Amino acid sequence: MASFSKFGNDLYSGKRSIDFVGRRRLWYAISAVLVLIALVGPWLRGGYEFGIEFRGGSEFTVSQVSSLDQTIATDTVNEVAPGSNPRVSTLGQDSVRVQTDELDKTQTASVQDALATAYDVPVDDVTTSFIGATWGADITTQAIRGLVIFLVLVAIFMAIYFRTWKMAAAALIALLHDLIITAGVYGLTGLEITPAAVIGLLTILGYSLYDTVVVFDKIRENTSNLGERGTQTFGEMVNLAINQTLVRSINTSIVAALPVASILIIGSFVLGASTLRDISLALLIGIIVGTYSTIFVAAPLYVQFREKEAKIVKHDARVTADRKRAAQSSVSA
Amino acid sequence: MAQSTAVKKAWRTLIWLVVVFGVLIGTIAGGVLWSNATWTPKLALDLEGGTQIILTPKLESGDQVSQEQLDQAVSIIRQRVDASGVSEAEVTTQGGTNVVVSIPGSPDDETLNRIESSAKLDFRAVLLADVAATATTASPSPTVDPNLSTTPTASPTNASDLAWVTPALQAQFDNFDCNSEAADDAGQAPADQPLITCDDNGVKYLLGPVEIEGADIADASSGIATTQNGSSTGQWVVDISFNDAGTKKFADVTTRLYGLTGVQNQFAIVLDGRVITAPTTGGAFTDGKAQISGSFTQESAKTLADQLKFGALPIGFTTQSSEAISATLGSTQLLSGLIAGAIGLLLVIIYSLIQYRVLGTVTIASLVVAAALTYLLVTLMSWRIDFRLSLAGVAGLIVAIGITADSFIVYFERIRDELRDGKVLTSSVQAGWKRAIRTITASDAVNFLAAAVLYVLAIGNVRGFAFTLGLTTIVDIIVVVLFTHPLMTLLAELPFFRDGHKASGLDPRALGAVYRGRAQFRAPAAGVTAAKRGSSSREAVKRQTIAERKAAELAGTSAGITGGSAGKPGTDSTRPTDEGKNS
């Protein structure tokens, strides 16, 4: 891939440069539209679909079936426990999962027997679960608490590491952007929100910031001589840093996304609805959006936060003045 | 020479890695030989199959469960599960409120009932008893005249005082249906109020307030009763002994009840709001020992003894979810997870080889070392802290492949950056490392923070995921420091890499080191490194030219002037290796 490494060289040297910082209004507008869609879309569609862990109910899994016909399950459950709203899905190649409203012990046992008879499998191959509606609520409460604690800790960590709270603020805004958009994809597509999806969403926290830290570290390095005699404005320094780390960002994102995509594909085609699928889908969206937001949201925001600082205004003014003088001298030369 | 010290250091570091592996393998081997460790990690329920029961405390509104109560409950439930002969059961708390019982395989109904049913045990005096209404009169909500008085006519003097029975309570009792929902909710009744409930034989009771709590029972056992001269009666009984507080309370209660007649002579042992037995009081018991006799079988006597002994939970629990996980489904999922992991790993390897050529093999070797280290650590953890690998944990491991490989990319790109600046490979590796390790540590710290917060606050399988993610973050740092960096240092000495073979992935020409001069603004921007200071004379020349070149560029001429020696891009005669030899 000589062309890709050539591309990297050009970005590094500044021969080729994509104006991430200068055109920030455009990127902000794109992100604002995406966030708006992610927030309003699910609401227009009729809200999020929550998994059984949040609704509460009973679940039956029939394994080793010879027929994956879902109507058998629907009919059987409707007959044995009328009005229990069965939702049937296939798991892998030889299992059927039935989720119903909450059933009592005797009903559960009779549905279990009926399903075993209907699918012609031993009763042992029909497993039953009962999930209280508070289970999901507990997870959500814990998840939100975890989110808040994490954000506070990571903000402190980044503020100390980068020695400016403005980088932490920009990184956290980008993170929020990622979380909203990922959650929005679930809302828009009507995919069920399961605890596994919540795990995936929480993992984005780590990944999105990982990506941002790599780029911000380079920005910090490029802007460390701010105030010394330089030829670039602050915005240009940051932009060069983004360009220089672009190949790295693309490579790390692809490498991170490959195993996740592999889980997602295996998870959804082979296993059907499963923990693996739910975790990996949220993660895959998160990795893609996270890479985007580091480059197009976090870094430009950082420039915006800082460019009004007296030190930077002074620096930029001097650079502009130097350039004018240089331009005049070269014209005169 | 600086290089040789770097090489020496690299060998030393690699020896440390061997030591780490040696210690891990040695510890596990020792564990296998002399303890109960295994060479494979233990699997969690979702992969192994089994039953997971989540119990949540029954609290009157506004009450909070304390950690102490929860810990006490966990140890009692654990005893109870162990007493039922189930091995390897796991009882843990979850999210500060719930108790999770994980039992491998499929436990029998009796074991399940023992765990689920035994909870809060109380002793209450019987006020009224009656054979419950049969199903024919069952109505979902018994109607009680709301005008009936709910206040006692006289303030009750003791727990057996019939003054507790208000007209409203009497009506409620008369209409009480043992199969109704009210009967299921009896376990949440306040301790200082009368309780209407049933036993398993369909007898309904109106009971006084709680007099003795289950926590006051010191021990309970079942056995065959003997007569005074020591001969067996053949009757199964349950013996109870109370602790000091219980002895005193039991003496008071039995003294009072002994003087009463009819059902008021009975006291009820109430478990989870249901009467398990209501024996008559045959005397005043002041020695803290009591014997319950009745129509026990060996089985039921043992069950009652266990319930009394282990049923002394500080709080009542209700089953929030009970999930049976099929082992076949679990193994399918594990297999699919492993296949997904293998494919993911293969894709990462292919991509690394395309992007980094032979350098990609360093990624592969590092991933192999990381995988081996992770496997050993997971195995060790499953022995030492009883960690069990769940499907979510497997997902965490697979996701980690990408995140671990990311560190190598950050490192390689830093080396390339240094090469682009015109450094020789050996110094590029060292200079690139100094910068890369900072970035890797910072980003891994963020990742680890996320994993730690998730782990501490986690519920259920979030925890397994957070654990593996945190573990692999640490493994990542260890591998990068103890393996990838020393390996790069050593490889940089090989002619294949040193001379920048086309396929090495570190070819300075392909990396545009010839454009060195065009990275003009980078020299000051990057900060002056020690290596650069070494070639300060060149640096000085280079810096002087910057302003001029900048001017030229702004004027629209695109021709760059390389630092040090003048020349057009692509015709630069200064080979980076030459410069390296100078410095």
Side-chain angles (χ1 to χ4, degrees):
Chain A
M1 290 194 64
S3 57
F4 193 66
S5 87
K6 173 90 166 37
F7 177 63
N9 300 336
D10 291 350
L11 290 175
Y12 183 82
S13 63
K15 181 181 178 191
R16 194 191 294 223
S17 176
I18 303 168
D19 195 2
F20 295 108
V21 173
R23 276 190 267 165
R24 60 177 176 238
R25 280 180 209 294
L26 177 65
W27 318 130
Y28 290 169
I30 293 172
S31 284
V33 169
L34 288 177
V35 168
L36 199 69
I37 292 173
L39 287 176
V40 178
W43 177 70
L44 288 177
R45 219 194 113 269
Y48 288 92
E49 292 283 326
F50 286 99
I52 192 167
E53 292 82 358
F54 295 89
R55 300 192 311 264
S58 300
E59 185 179 287
F60 302 85
T61 307
V62 193
S63 40
Q64 317 277 336
V65 295
S66 45
S67 151
L68 283 176
D69 190 354
Q70 301 190 0
T71 51
I72 300 178
T74 317
D75 294 346
T76 312
V77 175
N78 278 331
E79 201 175 299
V80 181
S84 60
N85 286 322
R87 297 185 182 199
V88 186
S89 50
T90 54
L91 291 179
Q93 268 110 19
D94 61 356
S95 300
V96 174
R97 187 183 70 189
V98 188
Q99 295 182 331
T100 64
D101 292 350
E102 214 169 301
L103 301 175
D104 63 30
K105 268 190 178 166
T106 38
Q107 276 181 311
T108 306
S110 49
V111 169
Q112 187 180 11
D113 289 343
L115 282 173
T117 318
Y119 280 101
D120 195 22
V121 294
V123 180
D124 282 354
D125 280 347
V126 184
T127 60
T128 65
S129 313
F130 153 75
I131 296 139
T134 51
W135 165 226
D138 281 355
I139 295 185
T140 317
T141 322
Q142 295 288 329
I144 291 170
R145 195 184 300 170
L147 184 69
V148 172
I149 293 177
F150 173 75
L151 291 181
V152 171
L153 288 177
V154 91
I156 295 170
F157 172 81
M158 289 179 82
I160 293 171
Y161 179 77
F162 291 118
R163 294 188 191 86
T164 161
W165 62 269
K166 289 180 178 174
M167 270 196 176
L172 291 188
I173 291 172
L175 176 64
L176 220 55
H177 164 271
D178 302 343
L179 289 177
I180 291 172
I181 291 179
T182 311
V185 171
Y186 273 81
L188 282 169
T189 51
L191 284 165
E192 273 193 0
I193 296 186
T194 59
V198 175
I199 299 177
L201 202 65
L202 291 175
T203 315
I204 296 172
L205 298 174
Y207 189 81
S208 169
L209 285 173
Y210 179 98
D211 196 56
T212 311
V213 167
V214 172
V215 176
F216 274 15
D217 216 30
K218 184 72 182 172
I219 292 178
R220 195 181 55 110
E221 196 181 296
N222 280 14
T223 57
S224 62
N225 66 333
L226 200 72
E228 288 173 32
R229 195 165 171 78
T231 55
Q232 281 183 300
T233 62
F234 180 71
E236 285 163 352
M237 288 179 187
V238 172
N239 201 54
L240 179 67
I242 306 172
N243 277 288
Q244 287 179 333
T245 47
L246 191 60
V247 168
R248 196 170 317 169
S249 296
I250 293 171
N251 278 349
T252 51
S253 300
I254 290 177
V255 163
L258 285 175
V260 177
S262 136
I263 307 179
L264 179 62
I265 290 166
I266 298 277
S268 33
F269 289 113
V270 181
L271 292 176
S274 65
T275 311
L276 288 181
R277 185 191 71 178
D278 292 338
I279 292 182
S280 56
L281 179 66
L283 256 178
L284 188 65
I285 303 167
I287 287 174
I288 295 166
V289 181
T291 310
Y292 166 84
S293 74
T294 295
I295 297 169
F296 292 91
V297 180
L301 268 180
Y302 175 60
V303 174
Q304 186 147 23
F305 286 162
R306 288 203 63 184
E307 68 186 359
K308 294 285 180 293
E309 283 177 22
K311 188 177 151 197
I312 286 168
V313 170
K314 205 175 130 202
H315 170 89
D316 286 357
R318 200 192 50 232
V319 170
T320 322
D322 281 355
R323 271 185 204 169
K324 258 191 204 138
R325 216 175 310 125
Q328 279 161 4
S329 65
S330 76
V331 166
S332 60
Chain B
M1 260 178 80
Q3 280 161 352
S4 72
T5 48
V7 169
K8 259 188 225 154
K9 219 175 137 194
W11 283 115
R12 261 208 308 277
T13 318
L14 282 176
I15 289 169
W16 273 112
L17 183 71
V18 174
V19 170
V20 168
F21 267 92
V23 167
L24 282 176
I25 293 172
T27 312
I28 297 170
V32 171
L33 286 176
W34 296 294
S35 183
N36 56 348
T38 50
W39 284 109
T40 47
K42 283 186 208 156
L43 299 180
L45 280 192
D46 55 348
L47 295 177
E48 200 188 28
T51 308
Q52 185 176 58
I53 303 158
I54 296 171
L55 303 167
T56 197
K58 278 189 207 173
L59 297 172
E60 287 151 44
S61 60
D63 278 3
Q64 287 276 320
V65 54
S66 73
Q67 189 61 40
E68 196 188 351
Q69 284 178 310
L70 211 56
D71 289 344
Q72 215 177 332
V74 165
S75 72
I76 292 166
I77 293 173
R78 187 172 290 139
Q79 279 179 320
R80 201 182 287 161
V81 178
D82 289 347
S84 68
V86 175
S87 62
E88 302 239 331
E90 203 186 2
V91 186
T92 51
T93 59
Q94 184 182 74
T97 50
N98 294 344
V99 174
V100 183
V101 184
S102 306
I103 305 166
S106 47
D108 54 25
D109 284 347
E110 204 188 319
T111 308
L112 286 182
N113 284 337
R114 196 190 298 247
I115 295 161
E116 288 185 53
S117 70
S118 332
K120 202 173 178 220
L121 190 77
D122 299 323
F123 285 67
R124 288 172 184 258
V126 177
L127 299 175
L128 295 171
D130 192 8
V131 174
T134 47
T136 47
T137 58
S139 64
S141 51
T143 46
V144 175
D145 186 348
N147 299 321
L148 289 171
S149 168
T150 55
T151 43
T153 45
S155 171
T157 51
N158 62 49
S160 295
D161 196 332
L162 286 175
W164 286 105
V165 188
T166 62
L169 211 53
Q170 177 74 49
Q172 213 184 330
F173 176 68
D174 291 342
N175 286 302
F176 195 74
D177 176 6
C178 285
N179 295 319
S180 69
E181 278 184 24
D184 289 341
D185 291 341
Q188 291 163 56
D192 57 353
Q193 290 295 315
L195 169 73
I196 304 174
T197 185
C198 302
D199 66 10
D200 287 340
N201 302 321
V203 179
K204 61 182 174 180
Y205 295 89
L206 179 56
L207 307 171
V210 173
E211 302 205 73
I212 307 169
E213 290 187 354
D216 288 333
I217 295 179
D219 197 17
S221 60
S222 60
I224 292 178
T226 50
T227 57
Q228 278 176 335
N229 55 25
S231 63
S232 167
T233 61
Q235 237 200 345
W236 283 92
V237 292
V238 176
D239 293 300
I240 311 172
S241 58
F242 290 97
N243 63 17
D244 290 348
T247 303
K248 195 184 170 303
K249 286 187 219 165
F250 193 63
D252 291 349
V253 173
T254 47
T255 310
R256 192 182 73 230
L257 293 185
Y258 187 50
L260 295 170
T261 52
V263 292
Q264 278 182 281
N265 176 255
Q266 289 177 285
F267 64 91
I269 299 170
V270 184
L271 191 66
D272 262 346
R274 241 182 135 73
V275 175
I276 48 173
T277 182
T280 52
T281 317
F285 296 86
T286 53
D287 61 351
K289 295 200 189 309
Q291 191 176 67
I292 307 170
S293 55
S295 50
F296 288 120
T297 60
Q298 180 181 358
E299 190 91 319
S300 63
K302 185 177 182 327
T303 305
L304 180 60
D306 281 353
Q307 282 175 332
L308 291 172
K309 189 169 154 188
F310 302 128
L313 284 179
I315 21 165
F317 282 90
T318 174
T319 307
Q320 191 190 49
S321 75
S322 159
E323 194 175 358
I325 303 132
S326 124
T328 39
L329 201 64
S331 55
T332 320
Q333 301 223 15
L334 180 60
L335 189 68
S336 314
L338 292 178
I339 292 172
I343 294 174
L345 191 62
L346 196 70
L347 290 174
V348 168
I349 287 172
I350 293 171
Y351 189 80
S352 308
L353 287 177
I354 292 173
Q355 276 291 312
Y356 297 100
R357 313 289 168 88
V358 178
L359 195 58
T361 54
V362 176
T363 307
I364 299 168
S366 303
L367 281 176
V368 168
V369 173
L373 197 58
T374 309
Y375 184 86
L376 289 176
L377 282 173
V378 168
T379 308
L380 185 70
M381 291 298 172
S382 82
W383 172 43
R384 295 309 308 165
I385 65 162
D386 208 30
F387 171 74
R388 279 145 202 265
L389 197 58
S390 63
L391 197 58
V394 172
L397 291 177
I398 299 171
V399 169
I401 297 174
I403 294 173
T404 308
D406 277 4
S407 324
F408 310 142
I409 292 176
V410 168
Y411 182 27
F412 294 163
E413 289 293 338
R414 282 293 193 178
I415 297 175
R416 284 181 162 188
D417 284 357
E418 299 297 328
L419 284 175
R420 286 178 178 126
D421 280 349
K423 278 199 194 125
V424 67
L425 183 61
T426 44
S427 46
S428 289
V429 166
Q430 301 310 324
W433 169 248
K434 280 202 189 93
R435 294 167 179 216
I437 188 63
R438 273 192 64 114
T439 312
I440 294 169
T441 326
S443 47
D444 273 351
V446 169
N447 235 353
F448 188 76
L449 199 61
V453 170
L454 276 184
Y455 184 76
V456 172
L457 288 173
I459 269 197
N461 51 5
V462 183
R463 218 168 177 178
F465 183 79
F467 186 89
T468 48
L469 203 64
L471 188 76
T472 49
T473 309
I474 296 170
V475 167
D476 181 30
I477 294 268
I478 296 176
V479 169
V480 164
V481 174
L482 293 189
F483 182 75
T484 314
H485 174 54
L487 185 66
M488 277 312 298
T489 308
L490 297 179
L491 287 178
E493 301 289 323
L494 294 181
F496 178 78
F497 287 99
R498 189 186 61 209
D499 302 339
H501 189 281
K502 264 195 167 57
S504 68
L506 292 170
D507 178 8
R509 284 148 299 202
L511 289 174
V514 288
Y515 288 136
R516 189 168 157 247
R518 289 196 53 94
Q520 29 173 306
F521 29 74
R522 196 183 129 68
V528 182
T529 63
K532 274 191 175 150
R533 258 181 231 117
S535 57
S536 54
S537 57
R538 283 168 170 278
E539 211 62 49
V541 178
K542 192 167 155 190
R543 284 200 185 182
Q544 279 181 349
T545 62
I546 289 172
E548 295 158 28
R549 255 184 288 121
K550 193 78 213 171
E553 204 170 63
L554 282 170
T557 48
S558 61
I561 303 163
T562 52
S565 57
K568 280 181 187 171
T571 60
D572 186 0
S573 58
T574 314
R575 283 277 306 273
T577 41
D578 298 334
E579 190 195 358
K581 274 171 192 153
N582 293 339
S583 58

